[in-house]
Amino acid sequence: VSQSRYITDGEVERIVKALYEYIKTAERDLKGEGNVQKAVGGYYLGISLISGLRRGEQLQLRWTDVDNDLEYREEGRRNELIKIKVRGETSKVRQTRRFIVKDDYKFFDGLMKLQVKIFELGKLSEKYLLSALKDRLLFSTNGETAITARAIGYHFDKIMALAKINTNDRDLVPYSFRHYFITKRVNSNLPIASIAEMCGTSITQIEKTYYHTTEDKMVSNALADYEIKDGMLIPK
């Protein structure tokens, strides 16, 4: 995979900020032309960034495939954990897989609240609300038809412009978010088998496509047996 298709951590910070702005602008006037699709498209890109899902898998997610009744606490702060099930019939490799992602940006919660407004479900109790949503597609303006690849590309370009990321001389596409997701986990020294299982791909594919030597990884490997103390490298 060309290095020009990789997004940096700094760029991701700008992308997340742009997504918030993009979504909230649309949600302020959901009756405005194209604003429902704009908000859904923004949430699609945000969830793509934190889940590493393939487009086909993500577009076929229904609320019954998502469980947000999980949490963990870190430094006194509540964090969202989302359990995702990719059904075998929607997976590229035709195997069902389940994995958990951290959603500190609350994209899933925001998308659910948006669909409650779209489908006018606000008067239902939580029990009946979940029942009413469960078979609806997440990334849809009507619950039955997913937004198109063309729409995703359109909103991606808008977000990149809003984040002031020049894509003219780079191969950045919506799939670059999956590249970023996997590369971050590879460079965090997670077991390749775990990454492959989570992302629905093979160990061989991870090694071939993502396990390239990056500067960050070289530094990490070089310092693996040392720690920095008072500005000095000390053997562990």
Side-chain angles (χ1 to χ4, degrees), residues 3 40-41 52-53 65 71 81 96-97 117 120 129 137-138 147 156 168 170 182 201 205 208 216 219 226:
Q3 287 293 320
V40 172
L53 286 164
D65 300 320
E71 67 175 72
L81 291 178
T96 297
R97 72 182 191 275
K117 291 180 182 178
E120 300 179 347
L129 172 61
L137 292 170
L138 270 70
I147 59 174
F156 177 83
N168 291 336
R170 296 170 68 186
I182 296 177
T201 190
Q205 187 66 21
K208 177 182 175 182
D216 286 347
V219 171
Y226 292 82

Side-chain angles (χ1 to χ4, degrees), residues 158-176:
K158 291 292 185 182
I159 290 297
M160 292 297 106
L162 194 59
K164 294 182 170 55
I165 297 173
N166 185 0
T167 60
N168 291 336
D169 56 351
R170 296 170 68 186
D171 258 341
L172 295 181
V173 293
Y175 202 80
S176 299

Side-chain angles (χ1 to χ4, degrees), residues 204-220:
T204 300
Q205 187 66 21
I206 293 286
E207 291 176 331
K208 177 182 175 182
T209 309
Y210 297 98
Y211 215 75
H212 51 275
T213 302
T214 65
E215 185 172 333
D216 286 347
K217 194 161 189 63
M218 287 191 289
V219 171
S220 175

Side-chain angles (χ1 to χ4, degrees), residues 32-74:
E33 184 177 357
N35 280 351
V36 170
Q37 188 199 83
K38 179 178 178 179
V40 172
Y43 281 120
Y44 171 91
L45 291 168
I47 289 172
S48 175
L49 191 62
I50 65 168
S51 70
L53 286 164
R54 296 182 180 90
R55 183 181 69 202
E57 296 171 340
Q58 189 171 337
L59 287 179
Q60 294 181 80
L61 280 181
R62 298 183 183 276
W63 285 107
T64 190
D65 300 320
V66 175
D67 181 0
N68 63 349
D69 192 26
L70 301 168
E71 67 175 72
Y72 75 104
R73 294 188 178 274
E74 181 179 58

